[in-house]
Amino acid sequence: MAKRLNMTVSRKRDDILQVNGVTNVIADFKLTHMKVLMVIISSLQEPLRAKINAHRIGPAAYEKALPPLEEVDLQIVRKISIPVSEFGLGPNNNYYLLKSLEELRCTSCRFPQSRSGAKVRYVFTGLITHYVMEPYSGVVDLYILDALVSRLLFTEDGYGKYSLCQAMSFKNKYTVRMYWLISSWANRGGFCITLDNMRTLLSVEGSYQRIDNFYTWVLNVARDELRSKSVLYFEYRRRPSSDGCELITFKIKRALSEEDQKARLNSFRDYIFNFGLSLGLSDSSVMSIVSSVELEDYVYACSKLGEIKTYVLQNRSAIRDVDGYVLGAIRTWLDNWEERFEEIRDR
């Protein structure tokens, strides 16, 4: 179970929506940079929700919710005003905030290509153009290019949700990045990515050159911190290859209360019992399936078992050992992570 966090977030909503393009942004962000970015995203929740619901409430509501436009030094920017206390950067919050904002003016970021097929990559030389923080005001005004705000609100490639309080509590920048990723892919159970693309996504092309160091000091550190602090965490498998395109497959796991675990297990047992009954499986085969499937695989396993059931019913005369076929099919599916999860491409 997730440990109780010492930090609080003053915003009313802790569940933060974030578009997939932000999740996959390529930039050499420090930990404080990512915390600033998350607070900016949390300040854009109203237009983001309005855009997601535009089909129901109309596009005018989205335009109305956007931060005001201004023209500064021939640049079209949007002004976002945020209480300084929102950033939660520790006892020296103001110092770290100003230092991070100054660095973010010069930190380039690149967003991935759209899944729609458009061969456009969005590259910005800075996350913000400039900022104003009057003494004792308690508020910082951030000026962000209108084009960048549009990219931060680009929902056409989907979006995910995560806990801002949880994300702001992590002590490692790779943990934050992996938390974004697994939150985005949680509903699909996991994802695959090549080692080279993973290194690019985490901006470690120039460091951790030895592969074992990358796993030890990047992925394993993030995995362990998520497992100790977060409801969502991950496990991974490597598939070495001779062509240098090693594939990493991430399986997303979720810590649940004992009561929730029992409820899901009982529901899964009911499904497997009816599944086994429809195919005439033995009790030992039914229990073998139940014991072999992990909690986070229940939904996906039911879908796969449905496919297996359809095949068996259509080809029953050709299957001499139904129990053996079903057990073999589900075990093969459980073992082959690479076949179960979609690959993240085009970093």
Side-chain angles (χ1 to χ4, degrees), residues 53-118:
N53 296 307
H55 64 283
R56 179 171 55 84
I57 61 178
Y62 167 66
E63 295 295 334
K64 185 178 180 181
L66 286 168
L69 274 174
E70 295 188 16
E71 184 176 341
V72 180
D73 295 334
L74 301 180
Q75 293 181 312
I76 305 300
V77 299
R78 291 193 182 272
K79 176 183 175 182
I80 302 177
S81 298
I82 304 174
V84 173
S85 59
E86 292 285 337
F87 294 91
L89 299 179
N92 297 319
N93 180 64
N94 288 23
Y95 168 77
Y96 287 119
L97 175 58
L98 290 172
K99 185 173 185 292
S100 296
L101 292 177
E102 194 60 39
E103 291 170 344
L104 285 172
R105 293 176 60 193
C106 307
T107 302
S108 63
C109 52
R110 186 173 88 236
F111 291 85
Q113 294 177 179
S114 171
R115 291 183 182 177
S116 64

Side-chain angles (χ1 to χ4, degrees), residues 122-141:
Y122 297 84
V123 181
F124 298 90
T125 55
L127 188 66
I128 60 175
T129 60
H130 62 289
Y131 58 91
V132 175
M133 186 172 162
E134 298 290 348
Y136 311 110
S137 68
V139 173
V140 60
D141 296 327

